[in-house]
Amino acid sequence: MKSFKRILVVGEENIFSELCQIIVIAAEANTKLIDMLDDCKNEKCLDEGMQAIRSLENKSDSIAFKVNEDITSGAVSPNILEHLLECVRVADDIVDAYYYQAREMCRMYKANFPYTEVIEEDQWIATFKSLVELAEQALGKVKQALLISDLSEILQLRKEIASLEQQGDEIKDKGFDFLYREAPQMHYLQFYHYSGLLHKFDAILDGCEDLSDLVLSVITSIIK
Amino acid sequence: MVFELLLIALVFLAVMLVSGNNLSACVGPAVGARILSKRAGAFLGVVGFTTGLLLQGWGMINSINSLIPNATMQLQSEVLMAAIVVFVVAHLVRVPLSLSMSLVGLLVGAALAHNLGLQASYVFSVVALWFIAPIAAAIVAFYLIRVISRQKVRNIWRRIRFYKVLLLILAFTSAYTTGANTIGLIVATAGFNITTVLVAVSAVFIGVFCLGEGAIRRVGEEFYLMRYSNATVALAASTILVEVASFLNIPLSNTQATTAAVFGAGISYKSKFLSLKPYLIILGGWIVAPLLSFSIGYFLISI
């Protein structure tokens, strides 16, 4: 009976559920980052948020290590092995991006460039929050894509994630337009800070899109 | 007595080589997909080969009676020895060669040289099946893949589970048909009796665990790069055709049917990247092996 159960184990399905744990961690990191953005003038809140995201990042690293091991030693079709390893790398990179954002926000505060009551800074926070909200939606859809078993639903989710990524691109472009307009009145560190955050928020959405593409690619190559 | 012992030794050697060589093609996909461990795959292979030989292998007596009736033990030994030498030489120079095709060529050559009353109509049906079987395997695989690709998948994982169970069953049936056909033919060449069957069963064990196990994972994974559906369809098509051949008491190479089915599955996709060179080499082997063996059987054995 035990051997028969082993035969029925679909390695790819298990890998996707394990991968889902990293996406859940990314969603938790997203929530922490929203809290940090909400209270970005409070050093204690920034520090606590950064520590929490650091521990989430460590957790994600160890899950990624275990999933990689499971991929190379489990009941997985060899022709999708590379794709699955790439899925893990992309998912882990998403969590890494959150840690980068958290560290960057703390670092900037400690470099004596805290967010102030200036109108422009409120605009920056609003921009970042809208990108984080898009990321939250995209992560939810990636999680769904990893857990469901209907190909047409996965295709639909992939489209929705691509559309969220496009919205993110537009917000990022507007952000850069604003950044370059304001650049002459800015310290180079501020310029670097906003530019880095914009790129990383976009990288999170790109990661979600890449992950959904990879999931679809894995599924179509094992099913067709 | 000497020839009797020699014949038993040759049956042992030939069955050992065939079971070691064919194990990876039969259970490789299941091991490559990690449904089975290497050891469990080898065990399944042993059970499949042995069951096929015991339940259906005797059917090949008719084949031998049609090809080389009233053969002496010396002639039987010479034919088996030549088949083993051809097979080993081909293996050493890395030319894919089917032992059953080679053995049939040798039997026909030897029967003609010794004027043993070979049934020409039977030889024609064997040759006809050798042409029809690969084409049929390719066509079956081609359309099966087309049908599978068109089907809407409601539950991906249920479908994969189905493939996995099917692969396991096909690993057994593929080994079974090899046991019934190729191994049955070898045993029948030496006379299908309790001694030769017992020797063959022990040779299956030794061949599988000593010669076959090493190549299982490598061949299995290479086979498995074809995706679940392709591997399943290729094994299914070859199993069906070899079983039909066994039912008709006609020797048919399992690898010949599998290769053709793999080709059929490969060309069924709209966008494909196929290297034709390996297929052409194998095709060359199908033509050269029986003709070369026929010549050896006709000229060398008759000397």
Side-chain angles (χ1 to χ4, degrees), chain B residues 38-84:
Chain B
K38 257 186 1 178
R39 192 44 59 97
F43 186 72
L44 187 74
V46 167
V47 175
F49 290 145
T50 310
T51 318
L53 174 67
L54 296 176
L55 295 184
Q56 245 188 306
W58 54 267
M60 285 295 142
I61 297 169
N62 296 331
S63 178
I64 292 298
N65 287 340
S66 307
L67 288 170
I68 193 163
N70 312 314
T72 59
M73 272 193 183
Q74 184 185 341
L75 188 62
Q76 288 170 325
S77 308
E78 284 169 353
V79 166
L80 275 179
M81 194 183 289
I84 292 166

Side-chain angles (χ1 to χ4, degrees), chain B residues 19-53:
Chain B
S19 41
N21 188 55
N22 282 7
L23 177 73
S24 51
C26 296
V27 303
V31 176
R34 288 147 180 175
I35 301 168
L36 290 174
S37 65
K38 257 186 1 178
R39 192 44 59 97
F43 186 72
L44 187 74
V46 167
V47 175
F49 290 145
T50 310
T51 318
L53 174 67

Side-chain angles (χ1 to χ4, degrees), chain B:
Chain B
M1 185 65 185
V2 175
F3 280 113
E4 205 172 319
L5 287 174
L6 180 66
L7 203 53
I8 287 171
L10 290 169
V11 166
F12 183 85
L13 202 59
V15 172
M16 192 176 79
L17 289 172
V18 166
S19 41
N21 188 55
N22 282 7
L23 177 73
S24 51
C26 296
V27 303
V31 176
R34 288 147 180 175
I35 301 168
L36 290 174
S37 65
K38 257 186 1 178
R39 192 44 59 97
F43 186 72
L44 187 74
V46 167
V47 175
F49 290 145
T50 310
T51 318
L53 174 67
L54 296 176
L55 295 184
Q56 245 188 306
W58 54 267
M60 285 295 142
I61 297 169
N62 296 331
S63 178
I64 292 298
N65 287 340
S66 307
L67 288 170
I68 193 163
N70 312 314
T72 59
M73 272 193 183
Q74 184 185 341
L75 188 62
Q76 288 170 325
S77 308
E78 284 169 353
V79 166
L80 275 179
M81 194 183 289
I84 292 166
V85 170
V86 170
F87 184 79
V88 171
V89 169
H91 187 75
L92 290 176
V93 294
R94 293 176 181 276
V95 174
L97 188 132
S98 150
L99 195 125
S100 55
M101 288 176 114
S102 170
L103 191 55
V104 170
L106 281 161
L107 290 169
V108 173
L112 280 179
H114 289 84
N115 206 9
L116 288 174
L118 160 98
Q119 281 183 30
S121 59
Y122 179 76
V123 177
F124 282 124
S125 49
V126 171
V127 175
L129 192 73
W130 285 358
F131 277 97
I132 294 165
I135 296 167
I139 292 171
V140 168
F142 181 93
Y143 283 105
L144 270 176
I145 289 287
R146 281 279 163 102
V147 169
I148 289 170
S149 300
R150 272 195 216 120
Q151 271 184 343
K152 205 178 167 198
V153 185
R154 288 193 192 281
N155 189 320
I156 305 153
W157 309 122
R158 199 182 299 154
R159 169 76 69 97
I160 305 264
R161 258 180 216 113
F162 176 70
Y163 277 136
K164 289 198 166 192
V165 173
L166 208 56
L167 270 174
L168 189 71
I169 295 165
L170 287 169
F172 172 77
T173 53
S174 182
Y176 173 90
T177 53
T178 306
N181 199 296
T182 308
I183 297 175
L185 182 73
I186 295 167
V187 178
T189 306
F192 209 94
N193 53 50
I194 292 176
T195 315
T196 50
V197 169
L198 286 177
V199 165
V201 171
S202 54
V204 163
F205 263 96
I206 294 169
V208 162
F209 287 104
C210 297
L211 303 177
E213 225 183 333
I216 284 187
R217 172 102 46 194
R218 183 182 58 80
V219 175
E221 285 186 354
E222 281 169 11
F223 202 108
Y224 221 66
L225 288 173
M226 294 194 314
R227 302 174 177 181
Y228 287 97
S229 54
N230 296 20
T232 310
V233 162
L235 269 187
S238 68
T239 302
I240 293 165
L241 282 160
V242 179
E243 181 54 28
V244 168
S246 304
F247 191 72
L248 297 171
N249 304 323
I250 292 177
L252 179 71
S253 160
N254 184 27
T255 45
Q256 185 188 25
T258 309
T259 310
V262 168
F263 180 74
I267 58 168
S268 66
Y269 290 94
K270 278 179 189 159
S271 45
K272 46 194 161 269
F273 184 75
L274 267 179
S275 171
L276 280 176
K277 200 181 162 188
Y279 291 105
L280 292 175
I281 293 170
I282 293 169
L283 188 68
W286 293 347
I287 297 164
V288 171
L291 291 178
L292 182 75
S293 302
F294 172 80
S295 311
I296 293 169
Y298 190 82
F299 294 109
L300 286 182
I301 296 176
S302 59
I303 290 169

